[in-house]
Amino acid sequence: VEPACAQSCPTKAIIFGDLADSDSRVASIQYKDRRDYATLEHLGNKPRTRYLARVRNLNPELNEAEG
């Protein structure tokens, strides 16, 4: 079952899934993507919501070098 918010998002920014299923997209993102983080995780709680950090290059010299 996929909620309407996940169905209507063209960028697939909202995903739901079963973390116990190692073949699901949400499990592969959480366990393999280094950008994955949860808020207040360092306090020892187990947050249900996870986020992916946005990677941006703020150095204009690197953009010019890539051409």
Side-chain angles (χ1 to χ4, degrees):
V1 176
E2 188 174 21
C5 57
Q7 289 177 2
S8 63
C9 183
T11 61
K12 302 295 182 201
I14 301 171
I15 59 170
F16 294 88
D18 184 9
L19 289 174
D21 179 13
S22 61
D23 294 332
S24 69
R25 182 170 178 239
V26 70
S28 67
I29 289 173
Q30 179 169 352
Y31 299 123
K32 296 177 186 171
D33 198 332
R34 292 179 17 184
R35 300 178 301 149
D36 175 65
Y37 70 96
T39 58
L40 303 176
E41 189 175 26
H42 63 281
L43 297 176
N45 62 359
K46 296 181 181 178
R48 296 183 330 176
T49 305
R50 312 269 322 164
Y51 304 94
L52 284 179
R54 173 184 272 176
V55 179
R56 292 182 288 170
N57 180 10
L58 300 177
N59 187 344
E61 293 176 4
L62 290 176
N63 287 335
E64 294 171 4
E66 291 178 3

